[in-house]
């Protein structure tokens, strides 16, 4: 679906992503496929860095979390036990005229009330301006129908709440005409497939809609390895698939995406609220550690009445995207529901025996679940900056820059010989590249004026540029390193500041900053 016109920032980010090779529409040469995305050379590195940071901090740096990679297609009974076969649905609405499909909870409508009387209805798709859009549409409606009187403020409601008699009166967001929207009906979002040669009921399987069930299904297998004691967590990174009715907002909601989930098992007698708070804070701190500004993050507590019956509490970490404040990371306290369900459906006891107290119980779980793609988008949105930088002649020029945290930046350092046609400069620059390449992603660039090369790296989010110039051989003319050879210029992306470093000290200097 097209982005709202006023979302200029989003358009700029999408365009930069395509131009610089972060993100492409999947199968673009065939016209694309809605809800699927490809990550280009820079995007693939950025994604890998996000995953690596998470795995490192969540699994490798902790004694109480172990990793898992479970299969994408699991026994179909897993999804019966988890409730996904019966209940993993979104309310879907069709527009009979435009043939477009909507999620009922993303269509908002309101009666148009003039002098206390309902004279019609208006609708709008969910955005950060839904109420304003409805109000504008109500004003236009009144004007076009030449209705006299005082227009009341709109009262936005979700289409899921529309009464049967209201449904034919609400205009379709696609056509603006009333009468073409169907009543909402439940649509299961799991992708279905067949395993093996037979195409009958017995061969039906699903692409996983979340990675979490792998951790529950393998709980006993992990426990039997003897490495873990309650409280402990099982973490996994992997692809998930949801046949979203309306994939939108670039990579925010897609049909194939990657999740990083962790199930943290605690005693049934432990204080779940303490652990819930602990993981909310951990997730928030982690997001800040990879460069998201604290000011763009907030918490949303799901109201008790909207929680699943087994859920004790869910808090979402929200991020202020250009299209509104949206869920980035959900941290749910799920009680013992999942393990109990799998024990019931599989007939395998999924309990924990506490050696100290000689007590057997079904552990409770806290689940922080996040999408890699949503983090990546949040990073790009907060890193995007436009400013002015002087060119070689001192003239101010506009530049697009990604202020990526060095931990996640796809290219850590660019190595640039000042001139392409001087073999000594080129040879030394390649030596420096080879020295650094073993430890980090390095980009070598000898094409074009040095200022232009800096600008290209600013756009890619590269935090440091290293330039090999004549002083590398002749020795510094002035400053603290006067006379010293084998030095390079290091340029900082954000403020264009330059400093001189010896090639020998370069690697530790960079490692300290990118880790
Ligand atoms: P939403 O309400 O936005 O559909 P959800 O509450 O269904 O999300 P969960 O089932 O809790 O999401 O999934 C955990 C995390 O996985 C989300 O917080 C989000 O980061 C990510 N995620 C979920 N669905 C998608 C999707 N379609 N595309 C990209 N990321 C997703």
């Amino acid at each position: 679906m097209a982005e709202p016109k006023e979302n200029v920032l989003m358009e700029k980010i999408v365009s930069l992503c395509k131009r610089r090779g972060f993100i492409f529409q999947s199968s673009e040469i065939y016209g694309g496929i809605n809800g699927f995305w490809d990550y280009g050379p820079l995007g693939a590195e950025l994604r890998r860095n996000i995953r690596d940071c998470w795995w490192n901090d969540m699994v490798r740096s902790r004694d109480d979390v172990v990793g898992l990679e479970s299969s994408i297609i699991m026994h179909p009974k897993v999804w019966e036990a988890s409730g996904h076969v019966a209940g993993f649905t979104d309310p879907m609405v069709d527009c009979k005229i435009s043939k477009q499909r909507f999620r009922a909870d993303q269509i908002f409508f309101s009666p148009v009330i003039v002098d206390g009387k309902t004279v019609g209805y208006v609708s709008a798709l969910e955005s950060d301006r839904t109420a304003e859009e409805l109000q504008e549409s109500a004003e236009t409606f009144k004007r076009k129908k030449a209705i006299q009187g005082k227009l009341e403020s709109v009262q936005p409601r979700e289409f899921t709440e529309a009464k049967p008699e209201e449904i034919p009166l609400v205009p379709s967001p696609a056509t603006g005409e009333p009468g073409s929207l169907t009543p909402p009906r439940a649509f299961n979002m799991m992708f279905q497939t067949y395993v093996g040669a037979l195409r009958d009921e017995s061969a039906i399987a699903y692409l996983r809609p979340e990675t979490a069930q792998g951790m529950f299904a393998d709980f006993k297998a992990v426990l039997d390895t003897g490495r873990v004691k309650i409280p402990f967590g099982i973490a996994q990174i992997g692809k998930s698939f949801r046949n979203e009715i309306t994939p939108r907002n670039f990579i925010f909601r897609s049909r194939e995406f990657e999740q990083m989930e962790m199930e943290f098992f605690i005693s049934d007698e432990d204080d779940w609220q303490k652990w819930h708070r602990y993981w909310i804070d951990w997730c928030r701190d982690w997001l800040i550690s990879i460069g998201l500004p604290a000011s763009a993050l907030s918490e949303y507590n799901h109201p008790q009445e909207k929680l699943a019956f087994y859920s004790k509490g869910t808090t979402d970490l929200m991020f202020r995207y250009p299209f509104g404040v949206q869920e980035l990371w959900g941290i749910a306290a799920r009680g013992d529901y999942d393990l109990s369900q799998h024990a019931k459906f599989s007939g395998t006891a999924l309990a924990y025996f506490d050696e100290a107290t000689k007590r057997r119980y079904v552990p409770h779980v806290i689940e922080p679940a996040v999408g890699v793609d949503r983090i990546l988008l949040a990073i790009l949105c907060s890193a995007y900056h436009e400013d002015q930088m002087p060119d070689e002649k001192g003239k101010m020029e506009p530049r697009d820059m990604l202020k990526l945290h060095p931990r996640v930046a796809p290219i850590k350092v660019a190595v640039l010989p000042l001139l392409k046609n001087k073999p000594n400069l080129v040879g030394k620059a390649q030596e420096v590249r080879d020295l650094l390449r073993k430890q980090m992603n390095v980009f070598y660039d000898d094409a074009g004026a040095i200022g232009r090369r800096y600008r290209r790296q600013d756009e890619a989010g590269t935090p440091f540029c290293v330039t090999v110039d004549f002083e590398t051989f002749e020795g510094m003319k002035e400053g603290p390193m006067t006379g010293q050879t084998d030095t390079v210029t290091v340029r900082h992306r954000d403020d264009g500041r330059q400093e001189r470093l010896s090639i020998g000290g370069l690697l530790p200097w960079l490692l300290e900053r990118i880790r």
Side-chain angles (χ1 to χ4, degrees), residues 345-370:
F345 277 72
S346 68
T348 306
L350 297 177
Y352 178 80
F353 182 69
D354 189 324
E355 293 287 349
T357 59
K358 305 288 176 220
R359 199 170 67 86
R360 192 177 292 280
Y361 60 87
V362 180
H364 286 212
V365 77
I366 309 287
E367 174 191 270
V370 70

Side-chain angles (χ1 to χ4, degrees), residues 242 244 252-254 257 259 327-330 369-371 374:
R242 296 182 187 181
E244 297 276 358
F252 178 82
R253 184 177 302 289
S254 29
F257 55 99
Q259 290 187 306
E327 171 181 340
L328 171 57
W329 203 327
V370 70
R374 282 197 190 173

Side-chain angles (χ1 to χ4, degrees), residues 19-37:
R19 193 169 72 241
R20 293 312 312 266
F22 279 93
I23 301 165
F24 311 125
Q25 168 88 64
S26 164
S27 331
E28 200 173 6
I29 57 168
Y30 291 98
I33 169 164
N34 199 7
F36 297 88
W37 299 94

Side-chain angles (χ1 to χ4, degrees), residues 247-305:
R248 60 182 190 157
N249 288 328
F250 198 25
I251 55 170
F252 178 82
R253 184 177 302 289
S254 29
R255 292 179 165 139
E256 172 179 338
F257 55 99
E258 191 157 42
Q259 290 187 306
M260 305 196 289
E261 297 194 285
M262 197 274 293
E263 305 302 324
F264 196 74
F265 299 98
I266 59 174
S267 160
D268 56 343
E269 290 176 344
D270 205 345
D271 178 358
W272 69 266
Q273 276 165 315
K274 177 194 80 183
W275 281 112
H276 191 222
R277 188 70 248 167
Y278 170 87
W279 283 111
I280 298 166
D281 291 343
W282 189 95
C283 296
R284 191 173 174 281
D285 291 348
W286 187 81
L287 290 171
I288 294 168
S289 82
I290 58 162
L292 292 192
S295 58
L297 296 168
S298 53
E299 285 179 22
Y300 170 75
N301 294 313
H302 287 237
Q304 204 64 36
E305 66 275 11

Side-chain angles (χ1 to χ4, degrees), residues 157-276:
R157 275 151 65 204
E158 266 184 25
F159 195 63
T160 45
E161 296 163 15
K163 299 191 192 106
E165 63 274 21
E166 284 177 316
I167 289 175
L169 305 174
V170 175
S172 157
T175 62
E177 294 300 322
S180 64
L181 293 180
T182 62
R185 60 191 189 283
F187 170 77
N188 194 303
M189 288 196 289
M190 280 201 293
F191 279 101
Q192 204 175 291
T193 185
Y194 297 91
V195 171
L198 286 177
R199 301 236 138 193
D200 62 11
E201 286 275 303
S202 69
I204 289 179
Y206 304 97
L207 300 192
R208 67 178 173 203
E210 59 174 39
T211 64
Q213 297 306 321
M215 279 79 103
F216 299 122
D218 285 345
F219 173 77
K220 187 172 179 303
V222 172
L223 206 57
D224 290 347
T225 62
R227 283 185 58 196
V228 290
K229 272 204 174 71
I230 293 252
F232 75 93
I234 310 178
Q236 161 154 238
I237 300 179
K239 288 273 179 128
S240 292
F241 303 82
R242 296 182 187 181
N243 199 1
E244 297 276 358
I245 298 167
T246 50
R248 60 182 190 157
N249 288 328
F250 198 25
I251 55 170
F252 178 82
R253 184 177 302 289
S254 29
R255 292 179 165 139
E256 172 179 338
F257 55 99
E258 191 157 42
Q259 290 187 306
M260 305 196 289
E261 297 194 285
M262 197 274 293
E263 305 302 324
F264 196 74
F265 299 98
I266 59 174
S267 160
D268 56 343
E269 290 176 344
D270 205 345
D271 178 358
W272 69 266
Q273 276 165 315
K274 177 194 80 183
W275 281 112
H276 191 222

